[in-house]
Structures are given as structure tokens and as C-alpha cells.
Amino acid sequence: MALRTIELFAGAGGLSMGGSLAGFAPVAVIEWNKWACDTVRENKERGYPLVTDWPIYEMDVREFDWDSVRESIDVVTGGPPCQPFSLGGKHLGNDDNRDMFPAAVDVVRRLRPKAFIFENVRGLTRATFAKYYQYILLQLELPEIQRKPGESWERHLWRLQSEKNSVKPHSSGLTYHVVPTLVDAANYGVPQRRERVFIVGYRSDLDIKWAFPQATHSFNALLHSQWITGEYWERHGVARRHRPSIPENLNSRIRELAESLFPLAERPWRTVRDALLGLPDPQDPESRRFRDHRFQSGAKTYPGHTGSPLDLPAKTLKAGDHGVPGGENMLIEDNGAVRYFTVRESARIQTFPDGFVFHGSWTETMRQLGNAVPVTLGHLVAKNVAAALIANEMERLSREFTLEQGAA
């Protein structure tokens, strides 16, 4: 059962690809950035299977003709631009004209999807934006209660709060059960410490109870495989004499793990070394066999910008060539030297498959990757949302069949 979807603010397609893996069938994939659209178009032309059937629209989502969407839509997905709420941005929030949450709410109201999936930066949840974050969630919960011309968002928030207190479950109006969750991508098998907010909603009339999936990977499991069993180093062929010393600040934690009688339920966090397995050094002539794997000179360290160690998940990749302060986008090699991640290495860290290529300059490509949803994480969320919708539809059909048999 394919689910019809609309993808907003698609970027290079990380969330969309996760959806395609989960069986989503996009009716429209919308992105305004030319370079990101060129990336999708190039992969379509090359026949890359996950994007071959994507109808890509290079435009502002606010200018799309929503009346042209004739079929019912199962899921609306997307990552509204994060710069208004990013820790590295100007922190303008709702005063930033790049805030696209109002546009996302408008699409939900128009299309009335069974569910939606929106992703954004952790900065959205900080105290500075707490009131506006609540406003976003309430708009998605009650999308038909629109902001009036000239009305401030604070006044609109007050009306939404008043309406919520009076709305009855399964009322005739369009309402959603909204589940916001702050997650670290490393806890779900992504080789990167990437904290993001997922806002998932189901139309209330479906009566679906949903929770974000449990974590599958952990730091404790990584420590266990590195410092107790040694399996991590053996798997990578790192001889004992070349292994680093146990970090002093982790000694007590490792002892507790060694003494524990309870097996670890999670798998180890994936590290940069795991992600780059099989890729040659970008300065090695062998690297030419890999698309987008070219050495980029100029990497330097400074306070707050020190790069990612090989044997931990990468620090959060950020948009742009250097990344904003603290954004890193660099690797600390075994000898202590630093260099920039290549585009292909960054794609591995964002869990894009090697067969997916990127279009544009190094700066433009790194911007696409820094803004992307890791494909693995997008797939995890999409398949869980799809499973809930399919189970709900099967229950509905079963009830109808039972009623028909009773009437007969």
C-alpha cells in the first residue's frame, strides 16, 4: 500500500529518500534552492531508483497551486528552514522572514493529510522560543483556526489556547494529535551527534496513538565494544599498540559496564571510522574512483572548532563550507592532523547512499548536506508513521467487512 505524500522544503532529499524507502509515493517534492533541485534532477537523470519518480518543483511552497492536487494526501513531510531557530544563526525566530512554519500549517489545513512529519533544529525548543514553539504546535493541532489579518501571533496563540480547552475529541473540525520529540540521530544508527526535533501529527478522527520509536544505539554500547570486548578495534583491524588509551573521564563508567550483569539492549553508536569504512584517503589517487570524494585544503582549528574524532560519532555537520562556529565539518585523523570532510564522507555521515551524487560547488554541496535529514533517521520515522497508518486502514476495512457480513 503506497502512501501519497507531499514533501515541502525538500532540500537534497534526505527525508524524502527515507520516505521512499518506507513506501511513500510523492505527488510533489518542492524545494526553492536551485542547487538542491539540480542534485535531485541529476540523480533522476542518472536513474537513481529512489528518486526516479519524484515530481520535483523548484519554487516557493507558498506559490504552489494546491488546488491542482486532486487526490487525497496521506502524509505531508518536510523540514522548514531552520535558520530562524538555529543555535548558530541570528535567533530571530518568528521575526525571521525564513520562518516557514506558517506555510507548513497552511498546507496541512488545505490538504487535510492523515499525518504529517516535520523536522527542525534543537534550537527551536530552547527557552527563548518556548512560547513560539507552543504556538507552532497548537497551529498544527488546530490548523483551521487561522490567524486573522492584522492579528499578532501572541493574540492568535491566546485564541488557540482558548479553543483547545473547548474542543471535544473527534469534533467535526480538523484537528491533529501532535507528538513532538527531541532526538539525537546517533541513538538511531547515524554516525553523527545530531539533535533534532521531529513533530509528528495524526488526524484526530483516525484515533491513532503513536510514540517516537525507542533508541536502537547507545554510547554505553560503543564503550563496551571499544574498551571491554575490544570488538570495535578488531573489526577495524586496529592493532593493540595503535589503539588510544582509555579516556580518564570514562574510567569509572567503563568499570560499571564491565561489572554489570545486564546485557546491553542497544547496539553501539556508529562512529566516523565506521562511516568512512572502505573510502580511501582523499589525497590517494585511488579516491578518484569515488564520486564527490576530493580533498579540500584550508582546514584549521580554533577554539570551538576542533573537528570530529575518528572513534566517536561526528559532531553535527552544519551548512556551508566551514560550518558556523562549532559546526566542525572536519576530521581529526589518527596522527592528530585535521582536514575537511569530503562531500562523499559528509554524505556517508548523513547516511546518503554512495550511488546518490551531489550537484554544485563544494560550498553549495556542503550546504545541502548540512541542512539534510539523515536518510536513516528519515526512514525510521517514515516507516513507523506508515505502519501506523496502514494498520489503521486495515482495521477500518476489517470493521466495514464485518458490518457488511452482518447486514447480509
Side-chain angles (χ1 to χ4, degrees), residues 34-257:
K34 174 188 183 301
W35 300 106
C37 290
D38 282 347
T39 287
V40 175
R41 284 189 284 255
E42 182 172 350
N43 283 281
K44 280 173 62 73
E45 290 171 5
R46 295 174 67 251
Y48 191 75
L50 289 178
V51 305
T52 302
D53 298 327
W54 286 7
I56 182 76
Y57 294 86
E58 183 184 331
M59 64 189 307
D60 189 316
V61 299
R62 295 169 295 188
E63 297 173 0
F64 190 84
D65 179 13
W66 296 109
D67 291 334
S68 67
V69 180
R70 301 297 183 184
E71 57 267 76
S72 62
I73 298 299
D74 295 301
V75 189
V76 170
T77 66
C82 63
Q83 291 88 346
F85 311 101
S86 173
L87 294 173
K90 296 181 179 179
H91 314 160
L92 297 178
N94 56 285
D95 293 325
D96 195 313
N97 59 14
R98 293 170 297 180
D99 174 18
M100 288 291 143
F101 273 106
V105 174
D106 181 62
V107 174
V108 170
R109 181 176 60 253
R110 288 171 179 270
L111 300 183
R112 306 173 68 90
K114 293 178 180 177
F116 55 75
I117 304 168
F118 295 122
E119 179 263 6
N120 215 269
V121 292
R122 176 174 64 91
L124 180 61
T125 66
R126 63 181 140 159
T128 307
F129 300 127
K131 196 173 180 182
Y132 194 69
Y133 182 42
Q134 182 188 21
Y135 178 50
I136 290 170
L137 298 179
L138 276 173
Q139 287 180 92
L140 289 168
E141 191 172 335
L142 305 167
E144 288 189 331
I145 302 174
Q146 299 183 53
R147 186 172 172 179
K148 297 175 182 178
E151 183 180 34
S152 69
W153 72 263
E154 291 94 341
R155 174 66 183 177
H156 188 207
L157 170 60
W158 179 85
R159 283 201 302 116
L160 287 165
Q161 290 169 328
S162 299
E163 290 288 342
K164 179 178 179 179
N165 292 333
S166 64
V167 169
K168 297 178 180 179
H170 311 300
S171 66
S172 58
L174 178 64
T175 64
Y176 285 85
H177 173 58
V178 179
V179 182
T181 312
L182 178 64
V183 302
D184 186 339
N187 292 335
Y188 295 90
V190 176
Q192 180 185 180
R193 298 296 309 278
R194 191 176 186 87
E195 291 186 299
R196 288 296 186 268
V197 177
F198 278 86
I199 303 173
V200 175
Y202 289 91
R203 216 171 57 210
S204 297
D205 62 291
L206 300 177
D207 197 27
I208 292 175
K209 302 295 187 293
W210 189 86
F212 203 90
Q214 290 291 316
T216 54
H217 296 65
S218 74
F219 184 34
N220 278 348
L222 175 62
L223 292 178
H224 194 277
S225 70
Q226 288 177 332
W227 307 114
I228 297 174
T229 68
E231 182 275 333
Y232 174 85
W233 307 111
E234 291 166 8
R235 175 159 46 87
H236 285 290
V238 179
R240 287 184 180 276
R241 66 181 181 278
H242 293 142
R243 298 175 191 178
S245 301
I246 298 176
E248 273 188 44
N249 63 323
L250 294 175
N251 267 323
S252 60
R253 189 169 184 175
I254 291 168
R255 278 198 304 272
E256 289 174 6
L257 287 171

Side-chain angles (χ1 to χ4, degrees), residues 13-15 79 119 194 198 350-352 369 371-378:
L15 183 55
E119 179 263 6
R194 191 176 186 87
F198 278 86
Q350 285 283 54
T351 64
F352 280 86
L369 282 162
N371 285 330
V373 176
V375 176
T376 295
L377 189 55

